[in-house]
Structure formats: structure tokens, C-alpha cells
Amino acid sequence: MPAGYIGRFAPSPSGPLHMGSLLTALASFLDARAAGGQWLLRIDDIDHQRCRPQWSTHIQETLQRYGFRWDGPALVQSQRLPLYQQYLQQLREAGYLYACTCSRSQRTAQHTAQRVYAGVCRNRGLPFTSTCSWRLRLDDTAQWVSDLRLGTQQFLLPECSGDIILRRRDGAIAYHLATVVDDALCQVTHVLRGEDLWPETPVQLFLQGLCQFPSPQYLHVPLVTDTHGRKLSKQNHAQALPTHHTGPVVMQLLTRLGMVPEPDWQDLSPEQLLQQAVIHWDRSTLCRMINTQRR
Ligand code: GLU
Ligand code: ZN
């Protein structure tokens, strides 16, 4: 295990923690602690339309009830906006961005695949006003992405993400920029997160390259799905987690991560249960778990 492991869990406070997000928290916590590393908590709350402060409090309280302890105070993205602005300006000055005035309906009409913008405004040379969106000009090149579980794959950036928005027309900074900046400035070495974010990884690597940041190692964790095979999310009303008698839930999640918890672990306190899991953690079991992502 490399020295100086720094991991993180980065929930978006757009609803309560659910089984899926708790699984990611658990995987990233166990991997970090088993490596003797730090584990940071970051609140991804820059999307003010979706995020609420009360969910941020609720998420932190729930994590504590489940026995999680993080290093240092939680990092709150909404308090770091000037930092993201600074990198946004640098990218703009370096010529990597362009202004886009497409309306939402135009953008949809221009989609070549489900969500890829066709670059209508790419060569229009529009001025960077505060009321237009600012897009990243993506190279026509391939991006290699490595994942400890999914292996190494090549993605064609124009096909998988298109020219993404880094600054929305309402001024909001995009998730991609904030996450890349924070992972780098916090010197995160390992990102364990849900497999739903695997398709977002190539463009994040590309951005890391432009900002001259090192890339962390990635391990995308299989998603918790409902009985219909759909990813659990706030949108499909994933049940809120119990805040008492948390042992059985954690035991169930450990099994999902490929562990075989001893039955008597569930009588332990939340902290002790996590301690046992750290002692028995074996990343390679998780890495062998089947690929659930449909491509
Ligand atoms: N905040 C993101 C989410 O909850 C995760 C960000 C990340 O792990 O890169 O989906
Ligand atoms: Zn446009």
C-alpha cells in the first residue's frame, strides 16, 4: 500500500443518506483505514437548486451514528467557490473554454447521443458574459482511464461527454470542476465511489491534465440496486436509513462488498463493528466483483 493514502467520501446533500451512498462511504472508509490512511468528508453542495443545508447536517449525523469518524472538519464546497472561480479563470485564459448561449431545448436538439452537446457555439467566439454558460473545449483525442476494479479502458472524449459546461448560465460551478479541484488540493490519492460515476471519470482525468494535477487512483463500487435492478437514488425514493440498531444494515453492506462478517459483529457498537471490518478488509475481493455497469 502506498504511503500517504488519502481517501474521501463526497455526498451531495440533496436528500438523506441511503443504502447506496452508505455503501460508498463504507468502501472508501474501510479502504482508507485499512491502509492506515486519512479519510475526509466533503459536502458537495454547490448545486444550490438541489442541495439543502439540513440534509448536510442529517448526512453527517447519520454517518456518526453508523460509527464513521473523518479526519478534520468536513470540507464544504459552497464555502470554496472563489477557489473554483480561480481555476475557471485560468482555464479560460488558457483558451480551453468557450461561451455558449444555447437554450436548454436547443442543447437537447443538438444532442448526438443522450447527453452529448454537439458544440454549436464552439467556434462562434461569443463573449464570456455572466449570463451564458462556459464550456470546456474537449480534444478530439482518446482518454485512458484506469480503475482498480474495472481495469483500463479508452474513451473518446467527444463521444462520452462532449463539451461539458464548467460554469452554468446561473453562475453555478459544475460538479466536474469542483471535484477535480478539491481532490487535487486535498491531495486525495484514492477515490472510491459509485459505479454511476465511472462514465464521468474520463473528462475528470482530462481536466486534471489541463490543471496539471496528478490523478488519484479510482475504484468504482458496484451500485446497490432495487428489486427492478435500478440504482437506488433519492429520485426513486430510496428508503432513508435507520438511525438506531444500525448493525444489521452495516452487516448487509459488508456482504455486498464481498466480506463475510462474523455473526457476532452485529452486537458490537457501530465504531467497533467498523473496526472489525477494517481489520478484515480485503480490497482484492471487491476488485473481483462483477461489473454491473451496462455499456
Ligand atoms: N457528490 C457526488 C455524488 O454524490 C460524488 C462525487 C464524487 O465522488 O466524485 O454523486
Ligand atoms: Zn451553445
Side-chain angles (χ1 to χ4, degrees), residues 32-93:
R33 293 300 190 221
Q38 293 183 48
W39 188 66
L40 313 178
L41 177 65
R42 188 179 81 210
I43 303 295
D44 283 1
D45 63 345
I46 40 174
D47 189 346
H48 46 81
Q49 284 170 7
R50 290 174 53 232
C51 298
R52 298 282 173 273
Q54 63 265 34
W55 290 126
S56 168
T57 311
H58 177 92
I59 288 171
Q60 294 183 58
E61 284 170 1
T62 309
L63 287 172
Q64 274 168 345
R65 279 185 184 270
Y66 277 78
F68 291 97
R69 301 291 176 264
W70 48 93
D71 293 295
L75 205 79
V76 180
Q77 286 196 324
S78 59
Q79 295 170 0
R80 296 164 62 80
L81 297 176
L83 201 64
Y84 312 135
Q85 290 289 353
Q86 190 186 318
Y87 282 94
L88 185 76
Q89 291 301 341
Q90 277 178 24
L91 289 167
R92 177 185 151 182
E93 279 159 25

Side-chain angles (χ1 to χ4, degrees), residues 106-219:
Q106 267 175 311
R107 286 204 309 264
T108 319
Q110 296 297 342
H111 279 190
T112 49
Q114 285 163 331
R115 56 189 197 99
V116 176
Y117 175 69
V120 183
C121 295
R122 198 171 226 252
N123 299 315
R124 291 176 70 195
L126 298 170
F128 286 93
T129 64
S130 59
T131 51
C132 62
S133 40
W134 299 10
R135 286 185 184 273
L136 177 66
R137 194 186 298 275
L138 283 181
D139 276 358
D140 214 2
T141 52
Q143 178 72 53
W144 288 95
V145 189
S146 287
D147 181 271
L148 292 165
R149 182 175 143 259
L150 302 172
T152 301
Q153 285 183 37
Q154 194 187 41
F155 290 87
L156 281 174
L157 288 170
E159 282 175 18
C160 71
S161 58
D163 292 346
I164 54 163
I165 292 177
L166 291 190
R167 180 202 175 276
R168 283 192 337 215
R169 58 200 313 167
D170 65 359
I173 298 287
Y175 149 71
H176 286 297
L177 182 61
T179 202
V180 159
V181 168
D182 280 339
D183 284 342
L185 297 189
C186 298
Q187 298 179 296
V188 168
T189 58
H190 291 73
V191 171
L192 274 77
R193 58 184 183 187
E195 202 177 307
D196 54 326
L197 291 170
W198 172 238
E200 313 299 335
T201 315
V203 74
Q204 291 182 11
L205 259 83
F206 181 74
L207 258 180
Q208 285 157 5
L210 294 185
C211 298
Q212 296 179 327
F213 292 147
S215 296
Q217 287 212 291
Y218 289 95
L219 198 172

Side-chain angles (χ1 to χ4, degrees), residues 242-272:
T243 47
H244 295 280
H245 199 51
T246 55
V249 174
V250 176
M251 298 284 278
Q252 197 187 327
L253 292 175
L254 291 174
T255 312
R256 284 186 187 264
L257 292 173
M259 294 187 76
V260 188
E262 300 286 337
D264 59 354
W265 289 6
Q266 61 174 318
D267 305 322
L268 298 171
S269 72
E271 292 82 2
Q272 288 168 332

